[in-house]
Amino acid sequence: MFKILIIVILFFPAFCIGEDLIFDDFNNNPAKRWEFIADSVMGGVSEGNVLFIKGENKFYAKMIGNVSLENNGGFIQFRRKIEQKLKDNLSGIKITVRGNGLEYYIHIRTKGTFLPWQYYQAPFIAQNSWEEIDVSFGKFERSGIMLSRKFIAKNITSIAIVAFGKNHKADIEVDNISFY
């Protein structure tokens, strides 16, 4: 039994220590995986874009723009679909970010979010220096009462980084997104 334990520890360290599952490090053509979406899809006037940058010995995404509440708008985001089903034992998202000191959001869509305005969201502050932020799935709130109160990882279909809900200039950089 002891020999089996040693073999597992040596050859499967992620299994033993709960290593993070990298979702995206913005390397290898991230523009093919991510899409930028603004409230203009529903008549809003917010505008911006997402850039994928190699610098500071890392790859990262930078979203900039103006978020406006005019015309029932109020968001810009960049989003990536999840092609492979996640495991149930995941409990949160870890992101490495920096920005202009404002509040931003992670939006999660699941198999149960059928309408475009349905999602689960969790806020975070993007400080002006790189910071790693852990957001447990328990901190995400549903966008309406028609959604289940909680979700499970295997039902996640997309992740978005969102500037949302108030008139402001968005400026956020994301270096890494992983699940834990």
Side-chain angles (χ1 to χ4, degrees), residues 7 26 55 93 101 136 162 177:
I7 290 170
F26 302 99
I93 294 176
S136 74
V162 184
I177 301 174

Side-chain angles (χ1 to χ4, degrees), residues 113-129:
T113 55
F114 300 109
L115 302 172
W117 53 84
Q118 292 179 319
Y119 51 83
Y120 294 88
Q121 91 175 356
F124 64 92
I125 304 293
Q127 301 295 347
N128 63 3
S129 59

